[in-house]
Amino acid sequence: MDNRIPYLLLLFLLLNCKKQEYDEFDFSYGNTFETDFSIKFNSNNDSVFIRENWSSNDFKAPVGKTNYISQLSNLQKKELDSFINTVSFKSLDTLYFEDYSDGEYFSFFIKKDGLTKNIKVHSHSAPKSLTDFADWIYRTKKSLRLIETQQQFEFKSEISELEPPAL
């Protein structure tokens, strides 16, 4: 019997055992004229859970107050993990706020390496690392194939939503 087989098997297992990048991570986003949603990322795989609170497309299809599941591509999962590892959540404030009544707002909730933090943003002066990450999540969410589900999800990043404008 080849003595290398147990070593190769151990090496294979070590290389394929991926460190969990976070314990919990979810994100909520809204803007005055287009959408309000929350998205939860699963740390163990590429699944995502989405709550669409309202969308500008509500008049076309009933997507408001609807839950969805979807799946990230391998590249999207790697990009997510990269953001989670490079954004310095520990050193960021929990609130970036400017007093205006419309526009874009978002919130991150992360539990990672003993840190539990919720960061809320309603400001044009937020750190670039947060706005870049929020933009990536927004674009990624728009690209996902959503599958409606009756399953309920908890989003710790959820913030009071701004109502859509009256038509």
Side-chain angles (χ1 to χ4, degrees), residues 103-148:
E104 177 180 72
Y105 58 93
F106 51 90
S107 176
F108 295 89
F109 174 83
I110 188 158
K111 187 173 181 184
K112 172 187 175 186
D113 298 332
L115 172 73
T116 300
K117 198 165 196 178
N118 196 340
I119 300 172
K120 297 176 186 318
V121 177
H122 184 68
S123 172
H124 298 293
S125 302
K128 186 170 175 16
S129 62
L130 289 179
T131 58
D132 287 351
F133 196 6
D135 289 344
W136 179 85
I137 294 172
Y138 174 77
R139 286 190 322 275
T140 298
K141 186 258 182 191
K142 285 177 75 169
S143 75
L144 296 174
R145 190 176 130 252
L146 304 179
I147 300 166
E148 189 173 339

Side-chain angles (χ1 to χ4, degrees), residues 1 7 18-19 65 71 88 125 142:
M1 182 173 170
Y7 172 76
K18 189 173 181 300
K19 176 186 174 272
K65 305 288 185 198
Q71 188 171 15
S88 180
S125 302
K142 285 177 75 169

Side-chain angles (χ1 to χ4, degrees), residues 4-166:
R4 293 178 302 162
I5 292 176
Y7 172 76
L8 292 174
L9 180 60
L10 179 61
L11 183 61
F12 174 80
L13 290 172
L14 288 173
L15 292 175
N16 287 303
C17 287
K18 189 173 181 300
K19 176 186 174 272
Q20 188 170 305
E21 303 299 335
Y22 52 93
D23 298 316
E24 291 180 60
F25 180 70
D26 66 72
F27 173 82
S28 293
Y29 175 90
N31 61 32
T32 306
F33 297 102
E34 187 178 355
T35 189
D36 184 284
F37 69 88
S38 295
I39 183 168
K40 179 185 286 285
F41 297 89
N42 189 325
S43 61
N44 297 320
N45 58 43
D46 52 6
S47 300
V48 294
F49 312 101
I50 299 164
R51 167 78 176 197
E52 186 82 52
N53 293 310
W54 65 267
S55 166
S56 60
N57 294 325
D58 278 353
F59 67 94
K60 295 177 187 168
V63 296
K65 305 288 185 198
T66 306
N67 292 323
Y68 300 94
I69 55 173
S70 193
Q71 188 171 15
L72 298 175
S73 69
N74 288 337
L75 176 60
Q76 289 168 328
K77 180 66 173 157
K78 286 178 185 173
E79 290 172 336
L80 171 68
D81 291 346
S82 177
F83 271 110
I84 294 218
N85 283 320
T86 58
V87 173
S88 180
F89 289 100
K90 186 177 256 181
S91 67
L92 294 169
D93 289 334
T94 57
L95 181 64
Y96 297 90
F97 179 79
E98 290 178 44
D99 191 16
Y100 53 88
S101 61
D102 61 1
E104 177 180 72
Y105 58 93
F106 51 90
S107 176
F108 295 89
F109 174 83
I110 188 158
K111 187 173 181 184
K112 172 187 175 186
D113 298 332
L115 172 73
T116 300
K117 198 165 196 178
N118 196 340
I119 300 172
K120 297 176 186 318
V121 177
H122 184 68
S123 172
H124 298 293
S125 302
K128 186 170 175 16
S129 62
L130 289 179
T131 58
D132 287 351
F133 196 6
D135 289 344
W136 179 85
I137 294 172
Y138 174 77
R139 286 190 322 275
T140 298
K141 186 258 182 191
K142 285 177 75 169
S143 75
L144 296 174
R145 190 176 130 252
L146 304 179
I147 300 166
E148 189 173 339
T149 181
Q150 297 304 309
Q151 189 175 351
Q152 297 295 311
F153 310 114
E154 176 189 11
F155 300 98
K156 294 179 180 173
S157 64
E158 226 169 17
I159 48 183
S160 299
E161 61 188 78
L162 295 176
E163 290 296 321

